[in-house]
Amino acid sequence: MASSIGDSGPYTGEVSPGGAPDTRELAGLVVTKLAVDPKMSNNCYLLRCRATDEQVLVDAAAEPQRLLELVGASGLSKVVTTHQHWDHHRALADVVAATGAVTVAGEADSDAVTEQTGVVVDDRVRHGDTIEFGEVRLEVIHLVGHTPGSIALVYDDPQGTPHLFTGDSLFPGGVGNTFGDADAFRTLVDEVSTKVFDRLPDETWFYPGHGNDSTLGAERPHVAEWRERGW
């Protein structure tokens, strides 16, 4: 996938564990995507405010040393955990210990994150809350279904199109795994339909918790098919 208008550099979002990160430069925000753990291939996203150099990490999934090298001398203001599943926060304790970053997670998943990592969640966010660093504002979208407290983060670029970090709630080709729970699947499809597709434009670029990126426009025609197939 090519970079969208206003970006500099050939960002594709195609990364692999052990490989180099990929960086997208927006007018006010720099997004660096890194894949960790060959088995789970989790995506971690380092977000840097261009005006202040303040940084936020989305999902300290694994390989804390690589994440800390990515963070570098600018330090880390916050770590956002998109949901409670173990593969998305294995490096959380080490990253927080090294940086002193404030921890953020969805309210309904925060207790589980603390139980699994030993790290207290400082900011337990709800739908519609904002996460701010430097001059950047991320809006929290609470998406029930993959877990009770999964969150997505939308950066509504003042000089471009929206950018959405979806955790494991939305991927190219479908919504996140609901582990055979039909009710949870219906809930997640409804949540993604009303809170994401009904609200954000086709040009919205989204960054999932695993694998390649996509746009809402590429996925929108298939939402009815996802609902029909039931997974």
Side-chain angles (χ1 to χ4, degrees), residues 12-60:
T12 65
E14 296 175 4
V15 295
S16 58
D22 198 4
T23 297
R24 159 171 271 169
E25 304 230 6
L26 305 173
L29 179 69
V30 178
V31 179
T32 301
K33 178 179 182 178
L34 178 73
V36 295
D37 182 2
K39 182 178 180 181
M40 299 301 295
S41 193
N42 289 85
N43 295 327
C44 307
Y45 299 95
L46 183 68
L47 313 182
R48 177 169 61 84
C49 172
R50 292 179 71 96
T52 67
D53 283 338
E54 244 183 288
Q55 297 188 126
V56 163
L57 180 66
V58 179
D59 283 343

mmCIF file of all heavy atoms in Angstrom, residues 12-60:
data_model
loop_
_atom_site.group_PDB
_atom_site.id
_atom_site.type_symbol
_atom_site.label_atom_id
_atom_site.label_comp_id
_atom_site.label_asym_id
_atom_site.label_seq_id
_atom_site.Cartn_x
_atom_site.Cartn_y
_atom_site.Cartn_z
ATOM 1 N N THR A 12 4.716 1.417 3.940
ATOM 2 C CA THR A 12 3.822 0.340 3.511
ATOM 3 C C THR A 12 3.121 -0.318 4.694
ATOM 4 O O THR A 12 2.070 -0.918 4.536
ATOM 5 C CB THR A 12 4.589 -0.759 2.751
ATOM 6 O OG1 THR A 12 5.516 -1.397 3.647
ATOM 7 C CG2 THR A 12 5.339 -0.176 1.564
ATOM 8 N N GLY A 13 3.739 -0.277 5.884
ATOM 9 C CA GLY A 13 3.198 -0.981 7.037
ATOM 10 C C GLY A 13 3.487 -2.461 7.024
ATOM 11 O O GLY A 13 2.971 -3.202 7.864
ATOM 12 N N GLU A 14 4.310 -2.915 6.097
ATOM 13 C CA GLU A 14 4.650 -4.333 6.011
ATOM 14 C C GLU A 14 5.946 -4.576 6.786
ATOM 15 O O GLU A 14 7.033 -4.255 6.316
ATOM 16 C CB GLU A 14 4.791 -4.746 4.548
ATOM 17 C CG GLU A 14 3.483 -4.607 3.782
ATOM 18 C CD GLU A 14 3.629 -4.896 2.300
ATOM 19 O OE1 GLU A 14 4.753 -5.276 1.871
ATOM 20 O OE2 GLU A 14 2.634 -4.734 1.579
ATOM 21 N N VAL A 15 5.809 -5.124 7.982
ATOM 22 C CA VAL A 15 6.958 -5.392 8.846
ATOM 23 C C VAL A 15 6.911 -6.847 9.294
ATOM 24 O O VAL A 15 5.865 -7.495 9.230
ATOM 25 C CB VAL A 15 6.966 -4.454 10.077
ATOM 26 C CG1 VAL A 15 7.151 -3.004 9.649
ATOM 27 C CG2 VAL A 15 5.679 -4.594 10.890
ATOM 28 N N SER A 16 8.052 -7.350 9.759
ATOM 29 C CA SER A 16 8.105 -8.730 10.238
ATOM 30 C C SER A 16 9.004 -8.798 11.456
ATOM 31 O O SER A 16 9.936 -7.997 11.600
ATOM 32 C CB SER A 16 8.617 -9.663 9.140
ATOM 33 O OG SER A 16 9.897 -9.265 8.705
ATOM 34 N N PRO A 17 8.737 -9.748 12.371
ATOM 35 C CA PRO A 17 9.566 -9.880 13.569
ATOM 36 C C PRO A 17 11.038 -10.061 13.215
ATOM 37 O O PRO A 17 11.385 -10.826 12.313
ATOM 38 C CB PRO A 17 8.996 -11.124 14.253
ATOM 39 C CG PRO A 17 7.582 -11.196 13.774
ATOM 40 C CD PRO A 17 7.613 -10.708 12.358
ATOM 41 N N GLY A 18 11.888 -9.312 13.901
ATOM 42 C CA GLY A 18 13.309 -9.351 13.620
ATOM 43 C C GLY A 18 13.737 -8.420 12.513
ATOM 44 O O GLY A 18 14.931 -8.182 12.324
ATOM 45 N N GLY A 19 12.769 -7.868 11.790
ATOM 46 C CA GLY A 19 13.074 -6.965 10.692
ATOM 47 C C GLY A 19 13.050 -5.515 11.130
ATOM 48 O O GLY A 19 12.783 -5.184 12.285
ATOM 49 N N ALA A 20 13.327 -4.649 10.174
ATOM 50 C CA ALA A 20 13.375 -3.217 10.452
ATOM 51 C C ALA A 20 11.969 -2.657 10.664
ATOM 52 O O ALA A 20 10.984 -3.186 10.133
ATOM 53 C CB ALA A 20 14.044 -2.492 9.291
ATOM 54 N N PRO A 21 11.857 -1.586 11.440
ATOM 55 C CA PRO A 21 10.573 -0.896 11.571
ATOM 56 C C PRO A 21 10.243 -0.138 10.290
ATOM 57 O O PRO A 21 11.099 0.036 9.420
ATOM 58 C CB PRO A 21 10.794 0.056 12.742
ATOM 59 C CG PRO A 21 12.259 0.308 12.758
ATOM 60 C CD PRO A 21 12.907 -0.943 12.255
ATOM 61 N N ASP A 22 9.001 0.295 10.189
ATOM 62 C CA ASP A 22 8.566 1.128 9.070
ATOM 63 C C ASP A 22 7.990 2.416 9.652
ATOM 64 O O ASP A 22 7.234 2.366 10.637
ATOM 65 C CB ASP A 22 7.512 0.397 8.244
ATOM 66 C CG ASP A 22 7.342 0.990 6.850
ATOM 67 O OD1 ASP A 22 8.091 1.920 6.503
ATOM 68 O OD2 ASP A 22 6.446 0.517 6.116
ATOM 69 N N THR A 23 8.351 3.537 9.068
ATOM 70 C CA THR A 23 7.973 4.828 9.640
ATOM 71 C C THR A 23 7.164 5.647 8.651
ATOM 72 O O THR A 23 7.528 5.761 7.475
ATOM 73 C CB THR A 23 9.219 5.625 10.063
ATOM 74 O OG1 THR A 23 9.904 4.894 11.087
ATOM 75 C CG2 THR A 23 8.836 6.991 10.609
ATOM 76 N N ARG A 24 6.076 6.210 9.144
ATOM 77 C CA ARG A 24 5.228 7.126 8.364
ATOM 78 C C ARG A 24 5.326 8.505 8.997
ATOM 79 O O ARG A 24 5.163 8.660 10.208
ATOM 80 C CB ARG A 24 3.784 6.626 8.371
ATOM 81 C CG ARG A 24 2.759 7.689 8.044
ATOM 82 C CD ARG A 24 1.384 7.090 7.839
ATOM 83 N NE ARG A 24 1.217 6.712 6.449
ATOM 84 C CZ ARG A 24 0.216 5.972 5.997
ATOM 85 N NH1 ARG A 24 -0.680 5.496 6.830
ATOM 86 N NH2 ARG A 24 0.122 5.702 4.711
ATOM 87 N N GLU A 25 5.565 9.508 8.167
ATOM 88 C CA GLU A 25 5.709 10.883 8.644
ATOM 89 C C GLU A 25 4.493 11.698 8.215
ATOM 90 O O GLU A 25 4.309 11.966 7.026
ATOM 91 C CB GLU A 25 6.990 11.503 8.087
ATOM 92 C CG GLU A 25 8.223 10.690 8.428
ATOM 93 C CD GLU A 25 9.340 11.515 9.028
ATOM 94 O OE1 GLU A 25 9.127 12.706 9.299
ATOM 95 O OE2 GLU A 25 10.416 10.942 9.239
ATOM 96 N N LEU A 26 3.668 12.081 9.177
ATOM 97 C CA LEU A 26 2.549 12.979 8.946
ATOM 98 C C LEU A 26 2.972 14.389 9.331
ATOM 99 O O LEU A 26 4.048 14.601 9.886
ATOM 100 C CB LEU A 26 1.340 12.533 9.762
ATOM 101 C CG LEU A 26 0.888 11.076 9.560
ATOM 102 C CD1 LEU A 26 -0.214 10.721 10.551
ATOM 103 C CD2 LEU A 26 0.423 10.858 8.135
ATOM 104 N N ALA A 27 2.128 15.359 9.071
ATOM 105 C CA ALA A 27 2.490 16.747 9.350
ATOM 106 C C ALA A 27 2.777 16.976 10.824
ATOM 107 O O ALA A 27 3.713 17.687 11.184
ATOM 108 C CB ALA A 27 1.367 17.676 8.881
ATOM 109 N N GLY A 28 1.974 16.366 11.710
ATOM 110 C CA GLY A 28 2.149 16.596 13.136
ATOM 111 C C GLY A 28 2.536 15.383 13.936
ATOM 112 O O GLY A 28 2.759 15.478 15.147
ATOM 113 N N LEU A 29 2.594 14.219 13.299
ATOM 114 C CA LEU A 29 2.808 12.966 14.014
ATOM 115 C C LEU A 29 3.683 12.034 13.188
ATOM 116 O O LEU A 29 3.498 11.911 11.974
ATOM 117 C CB LEU A 29 1.457 12.289 14.280
ATOM 118 C CG LEU A 29 1.475 10.939 15.006
ATOM 119 C CD1 LEU A 29 1.902 11.107 16.466
ATOM 120 C CD2 LEU A 29 0.100 10.282 14.931
ATOM 121 N N VAL A 30 4.627 11.371 13.869
ATOM 122 C CA VAL A 30 5.436 10.328 13.243
ATOM 123 C C VAL A 30 5.009 8.983 13.826
ATOM 124 O O VAL A 30 4.959 8.817 15.051
ATOM 125 C CB VAL A 30 6.936 10.559 13.474
ATOM 126 C CG1 VAL A 30 7.756 9.431 12.861
ATOM 127 C CG2 VAL A 30 7.367 11.905 12.910
ATOM 128 N N VAL A 31 4.669 8.048 12.961
ATOM 129 C CA VAL A 31 4.231 6.709 13.362
ATOM 130 C C VAL A 31 5.291 5.706 12.950
ATOM 131 O O VAL A 31 5.623 5.606 11.762
ATOM 132 C CB VAL A 31 2.889 6.334 12.692
ATOM 133 C CG1 VAL A 31 2.460 4.929 13.101
ATOM 134 C CG2 VAL A 31 1.811 7.353 13.019
ATOM 135 N N THR A 32 5.834 4.965 13.919
ATOM 136 C CA THR A 32 6.806 3.915 13.613
ATOM 137 C C THR A 32 6.230 2.575 14.042
ATOM 138 O O THR A 32 5.852 2.388 15.191
ATOM 139 C CB THR A 32 8.145 4.172 14.318
ATOM 140 O OG1 THR A 32 8.665 5.434 13.891
ATOM 141 C CG2 THR A 32 9.151 3.081 13.973
ATOM 142 N N LYS A 33 6.164 1.667 13.099
ATOM 143 C CA LYS A 33 5.580 0.336 13.316
ATOM 144 C C LYS A 33 6.699 -0.693 13.400
ATOM 145 O O LYS A 33 7.572 -0.750 12.538
ATOM 146 C CB LYS A 33 4.628 0.002 12.168
ATOM 147 C CG LYS A 33 3.985 -1.376 12.246
ATOM 148 C CD LYS A 33 3.027 -1.581 11.062
ATOM 149 C CE LYS A 33 2.338 -2.933 11.141
ATOM 150 N NZ LYS A 33 1.376 -3.120 10.026
ATOM 151 N N LEU A 34 6.654 -1.525 14.442
ATOM 152 C CA LEU A 34 7.654 -2.563 14.662
ATOM 153 C C LEU A 34 6.940 -3.865 14.999
ATOM 154 O O LEU A 34 6.025 -3.883 15.824
ATOM 155 C CB LEU A 34 8.579 -2.172 15.827
ATOM 156 C CG LEU A 34 9.655 -3.185 16.211
ATOM 157 C CD1 LEU A 34 10.760 -3.205 15.152
ATOM 158 C CD2 LEU A 34 10.247 -2.853 17.592
ATOM 159 N N ALA A 35 7.347 -4.957 14.370
ATOM 160 C CA ALA A 35 6.805 -6.275 14.687
ATOM 161 C C ALA A 35 7.752 -7.006 15.628
ATOM 162 O O ALA A 35 8.977 -6.960 15.456
ATOM 163 C CB ALA A 35 6.599 -7.091 13.417
ATOM 164 N N VAL A 36 7.180 -7.682 16.626
ATOM 165 C CA VAL A 36 7.976 -8.422 17.606
ATOM 166 C C VAL A 36 7.413 -9.830 17.770
ATOM 167 O O VAL A 36 6.238 -10.070 17.503
ATOM 168 C CB VAL A 36 7.994 -7.699 18.977
ATOM 169 C CG1 VAL A 36 8.696 -6.351 18.879
ATOM 170 C CG2 VAL A 36 6.578 -7.520 19.528
ATOM 171 N N ASP A 37 8.276 -10.746 18.220
ATOM 172 C CA ASP A 37 7.945 -12.127 18.535
ATOM 173 C C ASP A 37 7.594 -12.934 17.277
ATOM 174 O O ASP A 37 6.481 -12.806 16.753
ATOM 175 C CB ASP A 37 6.796 -12.206 19.544
ATOM 176 C CG ASP A 37 6.460 -13.647 19.930
ATOM 177 O OD1 ASP A 37 7.129 -14.587 19.461
ATOM 178 O OD2 ASP A 37 5.501 -13.838 20.702
ATOM 179 N N PRO A 38 8.511 -13.776 16.809
ATOM 180 C CA PRO A 38 8.251 -14.558 15.600
ATOM 181 C C PRO A 38 6.987 -15.421 15.677
ATOM 182 O O PRO A 38 6.352 -15.671 14.655
ATOM 183 C CB PRO A 38 9.506 -15.435 15.470
ATOM 184 C CG PRO A 38 10.561 -14.691 16.206
ATOM 185 C CD PRO A 38 9.865 -13.995 17.340
ATOM 186 N N LYS A 39 6.631 -15.890 16.857
ATOM 187 C CA LYS A 39 5.462 -16.763 16.978
ATOM 188 C C LYS A 39 4.157 -15.982 16.847
ATOM 189 O O LYS A 39 3.250 -16.370 16.099
ATOM 190 C CB LYS A 39 5.499 -17.507 18.312
ATOM 191 C CG LYS A 39 4.343 -18.477 18.491
ATOM 192 C CD LYS A 39 4.442 -19.237 19.806
ATOM 193 C CE LYS A 39 3.270 -20.195 19.953
ATOM 194 N NZ LYS A 39 3.332 -20.931 21.252
ATOM 195 N N MET A 40 4.031 -14.868 17.568
ATOM 196 C CA MET A 40 2.777 -14.118 17.600
ATOM 197 C C MET A 40 2.751 -12.964 16.597
ATOM 198 O O MET A 40 1.679 -12.502 16.205
ATOM 199 C CB MET A 40 2.517 -13.562 19.005
ATOM 200 C CG MET A 40 2.385 -14.620 20.075
ATOM 201 S SD MET A 40 1.042 -15.794 19.739
ATOM 202 C CE MET A 40 -0.391 -14.718 19.857
ATOM 203 N N SER A 41 3.912 -12.474 16.203
ATOM 204 C CA SER A 41 4.038 -11.356 15.258
ATOM 205 C C SER A 41 3.121 -10.194 15.637
ATOM 206 O O SER A 41 2.228 -9.795 14.889
ATOM 207 C CB SER A 41 3.743 -11.818 13.831
ATOM 208 O OG SER A 41 4.141 -10.823 12.896
ATOM 209 N N ASN A 42 3.373 -9.657 16.820
ATOM 210 C CA ASN A 42 2.618 -8.494 17.292
ATOM 211 C C ASN A 42 3.171 -7.207 16.702
ATOM 212 O O ASN A 42 4.385 -7.055 16.564
ATOM 213 C CB ASN A 42 2.704 -8.372 18.819
ATOM 214 C CG ASN A 42 1.915 -9.432 19.531
ATOM 215 O OD1 ASN A 42 2.406 -10.534 19.740
ATOM 216 N ND2 ASN A 42 0.701 -9.090 19.925
ATOM 217 N N ASN A 43 2.272 -6.278 16.425
ATOM 218 C CA ASN A 43 2.679 -4.939 16.009
ATOM 219 C C ASN A 43 2.714 -4.002 17.208
ATOM 220 O O ASN A 43 1.777 -3.977 18.015
ATOM 221 C CB ASN A 43 1.713 -4.370 14.975
ATOM 222 C CG ASN A 43 1.722 -5.135 13.681
ATOM 223 O OD1 ASN A 43 2.747 -5.669 13.270
ATOM 224 N ND2 ASN A 43 0.578 -5.198 13.018
ATOM 225 N N CYS A 44 3.787 -3.238 17.312
ATOM 226 C CA CYS A 44 3.913 -2.180 18.309
ATOM 227 C C CYS A 44 4.074 -0.870 17.544
ATOM 228 O O CYS A 44 4.763 -0.827 16.519
ATOM 229 C CB CYS A 44 5.133 -2.404 19.207
ATOM 230 S SG CYS A 44 5.201 -4.029 19.988
ATOM 231 N N TYR A 45 3.453 0.190 18.052
ATOM 232 C CA TYR A 45 3.482 1.470 17.354
ATOM 233 C C TYR A 45 4.031 2.558 18.272
ATOM 234 O O TYR A 45 3.461 2.811 19.337
ATOM 235 C CB TYR A 45 2.073 1.858 16.897
ATOM 236 C CG TYR A 45 1.458 0.869 15.934
ATOM 237 C CD1 TYR A 45 0.616 -0.145 16.381
ATOM 238 C CD2 TYR A 45 1.747 0.938 14.574
ATOM 239 C CE1 TYR A 45 0.068 -1.058 15.497
ATOM 240 C CE2 TYR A 45 1.195 0.037 13.674
ATOM 241 C CZ TYR A 45 0.349 -0.960 14.147
ATOM 242 O OH TYR A 45 -0.195 -1.867 13.268
ATOM 243 N N LEU A 46 5.124 3.175 17.844
ATOM 244 C CA LEU A 46 5.667 4.320 18.563
ATOM 245 C C LEU A 46 5.183 5.585 17.857
ATOM 246 O O LEU A 46 5.415 5.769 16.666
ATOM 247 C CB LEU A 46 7.194 4.280 18.581
ATOM 248 C CG LEU A 46 7.857 5.398 19.384
ATOM 249 C CD1 LEU A 46 7.580 5.241 20.879
ATOM 250 C CD2 LEU A 46 9.365 5.438 19.126
ATOM 251 N N LEU A 47 4.511 6.446 18.619
ATOM 252 C CA LEU A 47 3.948 7.681 18.084
ATOM 253 C C LEU A 47 4.720 8.856 18.665
ATOM 254 O O LEU A 47 4.880 8.957 19.879
ATOM 255 C CB LEU A 47 2.469 7.806 18.449
ATOM 256 C CG LEU A 47 1.595 6.562 18.221
ATOM 257 C CD1 LEU A 47 0.151 6.861 18.589
ATOM 258 C CD2 LEU A 47 1.705 6.077 16.787
ATOM 259 N N ARG A 48 5.191 9.739 17.790
ATOM 260 C CA ARG A 48 5.972 10.898 18.245
ATOM 261 C C ARG A 48 5.354 12.190 17.742
ATOM 262 O O ARG A 48 5.108 12.350 16.548
ATOM 263 C CB ARG A 48 7.424 10.804 17.760
ATOM 264 C CG ARG A 48 8.271 12.023 18.140
ATOM 265 C CD ARG A 48 9.746 11.786 17.874
ATOM 266 N NE ARG A 48 10.044 11.519 16.489
ATOM 267 C CZ ARG A 48 10.232 12.469 15.553
ATOM 268 N NH1 ARG A 48 10.121 13.754 15.883
ATOM 269 N NH2 ARG A 48 10.522 12.128 14.307
ATOM 270 N N CYS A 49 5.092 13.097 18.679
ATOM 271 C CA CYS A 49 4.612 14.431 18.325
ATOM 272 C C CYS A 49 5.751 15.199 17.677
ATOM 273 O O CYS A 49 6.812 15.371 18.281
ATOM 274 C CB CYS A 49 4.103 15.161 19.561
ATOM 275 S SG CYS A 49 3.711 16.900 19.277
ATOM 276 N N ARG A 50 5.552 15.678 16.473
ATOM 277 C CA ARG A 50 6.627 16.367 15.768
ATOM 278 C C ARG A 50 6.981 17.701 16.426
ATOM 279 O O ARG A 50 8.130 18.143 16.366
ATOM 280 C CB ARG A 50 6.228 16.601 14.309
ATOM 281 C CG ARG A 50 6.134 15.316 13.506
ATOM 282 C CD ARG A 50 5.711 15.595 12.083
ATOM 283 N NE ARG A 50 6.757 16.245 11.335
ATOM 284 C CZ ARG A 50 7.627 15.615 10.543
ATOM 285 N NH1 ARG A 50 7.565 14.304 10.416
ATOM 286 N NH2 ARG A 50 8.534 16.273 9.877
ATOM 287 N N ALA A 51 5.994 18.341 17.072
ATOM 288 C CA ALA A 51 6.236 19.658 17.665
ATOM 289 C C ALA A 51 7.060 19.586 18.940
ATOM 290 O O ALA A 51 7.843 20.489 19.231
ATOM 291 C CB ALA A 51 4.907 20.357 17.945
ATOM 292 N N THR A 52 6.884 18.517 19.725
ATOM 293 C CA THR A 52 7.504 18.456 21.049
ATOM 294 C C THR A 52 8.433 17.256 21.256
ATOM 295 O O THR A 52 9.119 17.186 22.274
ATOM 296 C CB THR A 52 6.423 18.397 22.134
ATOM 297 O OG1 THR A 52 5.720 17.148 22.025
ATOM 298 C CG2 THR A 52 5.438 19.558 22.004
ATOM 299 N N ASP A 53 8.412 16.301 20.340
ATOM 300 C CA ASP A 53 9.155 15.034 20.458
ATOM 301 C C ASP A 53 8.624 14.123 21.563
ATOM 302 O O ASP A 53 9.248 13.097 21.870
ATOM 303 C CB ASP A 53 10.656 15.270 20.664
ATOM 304 C CG ASP A 53 11.361 15.663 19.376
ATOM 305 O OD1 ASP A 53 10.815 15.362 18.291
ATOM 306 O OD2 ASP A 53 12.433 16.280 19.446
ATOM 307 N N GLU A 54 7.492 14.464 22.182
ATOM 308 C CA GLU A 54 6.883 13.556 23.161
ATOM 309 C C GLU A 54 6.449 12.287 22.449
ATOM 310 O O GLU A 54 5.943 12.342 21.319
ATOM 311 C CB GLU A 54 5.682 14.222 23.823
ATOM 312 C CG GLU A 54 5.863 14.451 25.317
ATOM 313 C CD GLU A 54 4.610 15.050 25.932
ATOM 314 O OE1 GLU A 54 4.331 16.223 25.684
ATOM 315 O OE2 GLU A 54 3.928 14.307 26.669
ATOM 316 N N GLN A 55 6.586 11.147 23.136
ATOM 317 C CA GLN A 55 6.306 9.860 22.500
ATOM 318 C C GLN A 55 5.353 9.009 23.333
ATOM 319 O O GLN A 55 5.375 9.028 24.562
ATOM 320 C CB GLN A 55 7.609 9.082 22.286
ATOM 321 C CG GLN A 55 8.581 9.770 21.348
ATOM 322 C CD GLN A 55 9.773 8.908 20.991
ATOM 323 O OE1 GLN A 55 10.065 8.700 19.826
ATOM 324 N NE2 GLN A 55 10.487 8.410 22.001
ATOM 325 N N VAL A 56 4.544 8.240 22.613
ATOM 326 C CA VAL A 56 3.622 7.271 23.205
ATOM 327 C C VAL A 56 3.818 5.946 22.484
ATOM 328 O O VAL A 56 3.975 5.911 21.251
ATOM 329 C CB VAL A 56 2.156 7.752 23.076
ATOM 330 C CG1 VAL A 56 1.181 6.607 23.300
ATOM 331 C CG2 VAL A 56 1.880 8.874 24.053
ATOM 332 N N LEU A 57 3.807 4.850 23.244
ATOM 333 C CA LEU A 57 3.895 3.514 22.663
ATOM 334 C C LEU A 57 2.538 2.839 22.758
ATOM 335 O O LEU A 57 1.929 2.816 23.831
ATOM 336 C CB LEU A 57 4.946 2.692 23.413
ATOM 337 C CG LEU A 57 5.157 1.252 22.925
ATOM 338 C CD1 LEU A 57 5.754 1.238 21.519
ATOM 339 C CD2 LEU A 57 6.066 0.480 23.888
ATOM 340 N N VAL A 58 2.077 2.302 21.648
ATOM 341 C CA VAL A 58 0.841 1.521 21.629
ATOM 342 C C VAL A 58 1.220 0.049 21.621
ATOM 343 O O VAL A 58 1.805 -0.455 20.656
ATOM 344 C CB VAL A 58 -0.025 1.865 20.401
ATOM 345 C CG1 VAL A 58 -1.292 1.012 20.397
ATOM 346 C CG2 VAL A 58 -0.377 3.352 20.392
ATOM 347 N N ASP A 59 0.937 -0.635 22.722
ATOM 348 C CA ASP A 59 1.183 -2.062 22.966
ATOM 349 C C ASP A 59 2.670 -2.405 23.103
ATOM 350 O O ASP A 59 3.399 -2.545 22.115
ATOM 351 C CB ASP A 59 0.538 -2.944 21.893
ATOM 352 C CG ASP A 59 -0.956 -3.080 22.091
ATOM 353 O OD1 ASP A 59 -1.451 -2.774 23.191
ATOM 354 O OD2 ASP A 59 -1.637 -3.510 21.139
ATOM 355 N N ALA A 60 3.097 -2.535 24.344
ATOM 356 C CA ALA A 60 4.442 -3.042 24.661
ATOM 357 C C ALA A 60 4.356 -4.561 24.650
ATOM 358 O O ALA A 60 4.318 -5.226 25.686
ATOM 359 C CB ALA A 60 4.898 -2.523 26.030
#
